[in-house]
Short mmCIF file of all heavy atoms in Angstrom, two decimals:
data_model
loop_
_atom_site.label_atom_id
_atom_site.label_comp_id
_atom_site.label_asym_id
_atom_site.label_seq_id
_atom_site.Cartn_x
_atom_site.Cartn_y
_atom_site.Cartn_z
N GLU B 283 -81.33 -19.17 -24.01
CA GLU B 283 -80.88 -20.42 -23.45
C GLU B 283 -80.33 -20.27 -21.98
O GLU B 283 -80.58 -20.90 -21.00
CB GLU B 283 -79.88 -21.14 -24.39
CG GLU B 283 -79.75 -22.56 -24.15
CD GLU B 283 -78.51 -23.19 -24.76
OE1 GLU B 283 -77.86 -22.49 -25.63
OE2 GLU B 283 -78.04 -24.20 -24.33
N GLN B 284 -79.50 -19.14 -22.03
CA GLN B 284 -78.80 -18.81 -20.76
C GLN B 284 -79.77 -18.40 -19.65
O GLN B 284 -79.58 -18.56 -18.49
CB GLN B 284 -77.79 -17.69 -20.99
CG GLN B 284 -76.56 -18.14 -21.54
CD GLN B 284 -75.65 -16.94 -22.11
OE1 GLN B 284 -76.12 -15.75 -22.08
NE2 GLN B 284 -74.51 -17.23 -22.54
N SER B 285 -80.99 -17.77 -20.08
CA SER B 285 -81.91 -17.36 -19.10
C SER B 285 -82.98 -18.44 -18.84
O SER B 285 -83.97 -18.29 -18.12
CB SER B 285 -82.59 -16.11 -19.45
OG SER B 285 -83.13 -16.12 -20.75
N GLY B 286 -82.79 -19.64 -19.45
CA GLY B 286 -83.67 -20.76 -19.14
C GLY B 286 -85.03 -20.76 -19.78
O GLY B 286 -85.89 -21.51 -19.42
N ILE B 287 -85.15 -19.86 -20.82
CA ILE B 287 -86.39 -19.82 -21.47
C ILE B 287 -86.48 -20.84 -22.58
O ILE B 287 -87.52 -21.26 -23.11
CB ILE B 287 -86.69 -18.30 -21.97
CG1 ILE B 287 -86.83 -17.45 -20.70
CG2 ILE B 287 -87.71 -18.21 -23.01
CD1 ILE B 287 -86.75 -16.02 -20.98
N VAL B 288 -85.34 -21.15 -23.14
CA VAL B 288 -85.26 -22.03 -24.30
C VAL B 288 -84.16 -23.14 -24.04
O VAL B 288 -83.22 -22.92 -23.22
CB VAL B 288 -84.81 -21.22 -25.50
CG1 VAL B 288 -84.03 -22.07 -26.52
CG2 VAL B 288 -85.97 -20.56 -26.14
N MET B 289 -84.48 -24.37 -24.47
CA MET B 289 -83.46 -25.46 -24.44
C MET B 289 -82.99 -25.80 -25.82
O MET B 289 -83.80 -25.95 -26.76
CB MET B 289 -84.08 -26.70 -23.83
CG MET B 289 -83.92 -26.78 -22.33
SD MET B 289 -84.25 -28.51 -21.83
CE MET B 289 -82.95 -29.43 -22.65
N LYS B 290 -81.68 -26.18 -25.92
CA LYS B 290 -81.11 -26.62 -27.21
C LYS B 290 -80.93 -28.02 -27.09
O LYS B 290 -80.39 -28.60 -26.12
CB LYS B 290 -79.79 -25.87 -27.22
CG LYS B 290 -79.08 -25.86 -28.52
CD LYS B 290 -77.71 -25.16 -28.40
CE LYS B 290 -76.97 -25.04 -29.71
NZ LYS B 290 -75.79 -24.23 -29.66
N ALA B 291 -81.34 -28.77 -28.07
CA ALA B 291 -81.17 -30.28 -28.17
C ALA B 291 -80.81 -30.65 -29.60
O ALA B 291 -81.32 -30.17 -30.57
CB ALA B 291 -82.49 -30.91 -27.66
N PRO B 292 -79.87 -31.63 -29.65
CA PRO B 292 -79.54 -32.06 -31.01
C PRO B 292 -80.72 -32.92 -31.70
O PRO B 292 -81.36 -33.62 -30.99
CB PRO B 292 -78.26 -33.04 -30.81
CG PRO B 292 -78.47 -33.45 -29.39
CD PRO B 292 -79.17 -32.35 -28.63
N TYR B 293 -80.80 -32.63 -32.98
CA TYR B 293 -81.85 -33.38 -33.59
C TYR B 293 -81.25 -34.23 -34.80
O TYR B 293 -81.93 -34.87 -35.52
CB TYR B 293 -82.95 -32.52 -34.21
CG TYR B 293 -82.57 -31.58 -35.44
CD1 TYR B 293 -82.74 -32.11 -36.76
CD2 TYR B 293 -81.96 -30.36 -35.21
CE1 TYR B 293 -82.33 -31.31 -37.89
CE2 TYR B 293 -81.64 -29.63 -36.32
CZ TYR B 293 -81.81 -30.03 -37.56
OH TYR B 293 -81.39 -29.26 -38.58
N CYS B 294 -79.98 -34.17 -34.89
CA CYS B 294 -79.25 -34.84 -35.94
C CYS B 294 -77.71 -34.91 -35.59
O CYS B 294 -77.07 -33.86 -35.40
CB CYS B 294 -79.44 -34.11 -37.25
SG CYS B 294 -78.46 -34.59 -38.65
N ARG B 295 -77.26 -36.13 -35.56
CA ARG B 295 -75.79 -36.22 -35.64
C ARG B 295 -75.39 -36.45 -37.05
O ARG B 295 -76.14 -37.06 -37.82
CB ARG B 295 -75.16 -37.29 -34.70
CG ARG B 295 -76.02 -38.15 -33.88
CD ARG B 295 -75.11 -39.06 -32.99
NE ARG B 295 -75.60 -39.39 -31.68
CZ ARG B 295 -76.40 -40.35 -31.53
NH1 ARG B 295 -76.69 -41.22 -32.38
NH2 ARG B 295 -76.86 -40.57 -30.28
N ARG B 296 -74.17 -36.09 -37.36
CA ARG B 296 -73.69 -36.25 -38.67
C ARG B 296 -74.56 -35.66 -39.77
O ARG B 296 -75.28 -36.54 -40.34
CB ARG B 296 -73.41 -37.74 -38.99
CG ARG B 296 -72.62 -38.43 -37.81
CD ARG B 296 -72.11 -39.81 -38.25
NE ARG B 296 -71.23 -39.64 -39.34
CZ ARG B 296 -69.95 -39.15 -39.44
NH1 ARG B 296 -69.39 -38.80 -38.25
NH2 ARG B 296 -69.23 -39.14 -40.48
N PRO B 297 -74.46 -34.46 -40.09
CA PRO B 297 -73.81 -33.41 -39.33
C PRO B 297 -74.50 -33.00 -37.99
O PRO B 297 -75.77 -33.03 -38.05
CB PRO B 297 -73.69 -32.15 -40.28
CG PRO B 297 -74.90 -32.37 -41.08
CD PRO B 297 -75.19 -33.92 -41.18
N LEU B 298 -73.76 -32.77 -36.98
CA LEU B 298 -74.46 -32.38 -35.70
C LEU B 298 -75.27 -31.03 -35.86
O LEU B 298 -74.77 -30.03 -36.23
CB LEU B 298 -73.35 -32.16 -34.66
CG LEU B 298 -73.85 -31.84 -33.17
CD1 LEU B 298 -74.81 -32.89 -32.70
CD2 LEU B 298 -72.70 -31.78 -32.20
N ARG B 299 -76.53 -31.17 -35.61
CA ARG B 299 -77.43 -29.96 -35.62
C ARG B 299 -78.36 -29.96 -34.46
O ARG B 299 -78.76 -31.03 -33.94
CB ARG B 299 -78.28 -30.14 -36.94
CG ARG B 299 -77.43 -30.22 -38.22
CD ARG B 299 -77.64 -28.85 -39.02
NE ARG B 299 -76.50 -28.80 -39.96
CZ ARG B 299 -76.49 -29.30 -41.19
NH1 ARG B 299 -77.50 -29.93 -41.62
NH2 ARG B 299 -75.47 -29.21 -41.96
#
Side-chain angles (χ1 to χ4, degrees):
Chain B
E283 205 196 340
Q284 286 167 351
S285 55
I287 289 166
V288 152
M289 263 197 67
K290 192 179 184 175
Y293 71 91
C294 170
R295 353 187 149 93
R296 316 196 50 79
L298 182 54
R299 300 251 159 87

